[in-house]
Amino acid sequence: MNIIIVNSAEVPIYEQIMNQIKSAILSGELKEGAVLPSVRGLAKDLNVSVITTRKAYEGLEAEGFTINMMGKGSFVAPQNMELLRETRLVEIEKKLTYIIEYAKPVGILSEDLKKIIDELSGEE
């Protein structure tokens, strides 16, 4: 697993860590039961605060992606892919609603947005 931190990004570092670990789990790169690096080890590798990595790991556990076993570390939790898919769809709907509302005042229509999505996804 290779985590890349972008210090100039608007996304907080702990969220960048969470998002990349979630992606690795959802893509199958990290399998159920896989051991994650220790909080201190990951903090050292990424050159970030232990508090930052701990916050990322706590967020992953709260969202059901990992299980923390005191004294043993963090492990990838068993995943209910249908539930994860549904959760992700809800998040996408919220973001698309925001984008639609953001586009309306300047006359960007749903057809324009569909074209943008098709271009970005390579489905022209």
Side-chain angles (χ1 to χ4, degrees):
M1 175 178 62
N2 188 23
I3 296 175
I4 299 169
I5 300 299
V6 179
N7 290 320
S8 61
E10 291 183 19
V11 178
I13 292 172
Y14 80 92
E15 278 187 39
Q16 292 180 49
I17 295 168
M18 282 180 61
N19 291 339
Q20 291 179 56
I21 292 174
K22 281 191 234 180
S23 291
I25 292 169
L26 293 172
S27 72
E29 179 185 344
L30 285 175
K31 306 277 187 223
E32 178 181 329
V35 180
L36 296 179
S38 70
V39 170
R40 291 183 192 280
L42 185 61
K44 183 179 178 196
D45 290 347
L46 298 177
N47 199 28
V48 298
S49 163
V50 169
I51 295 168
T52 300
T53 54
R54 184 171 291 123
K55 188 171 182 178
Y57 276 26
E58 287 170 356
L60 289 165
E61 185 173 26
E63 291 183 21
F65 283 91
T66 61
I67 298 169
N68 183 31
M69 295 185 186
M70 193 62 78
K72 295 188 179 199
S74 291
F75 301 84
V76 175
Q79 301 301 307
N80 177 341
M81 294 309 282
E82 188 57 37
L83 177 62
L84 291 174
R85 184 178 189 283
E86 188 61 33
T87 302
R88 188 61 57 98
L89 283 172
V90 169
E91 289 176 24
I92 291 168
E93 287 173 5
K94 287 179 186 175
K95 290 178 181 186
L96 286 174
T97 300
Y98 170 80
I99 290 168
I100 291 166
E101 294 303 315
Y102 184 76
K104 278 182 185 177
V106 293
I108 298 172
L109 305 173
S110 62
E111 274 305 311
D112 300 318
L113 295 173
K114 288 175 189 174
K115 287 179 187 175
I116 292 169
I117 291 171
D118 288 344
E119 285 179 27
L120 293 173
S121 64
E123 296 178 11
E124 290 184 83

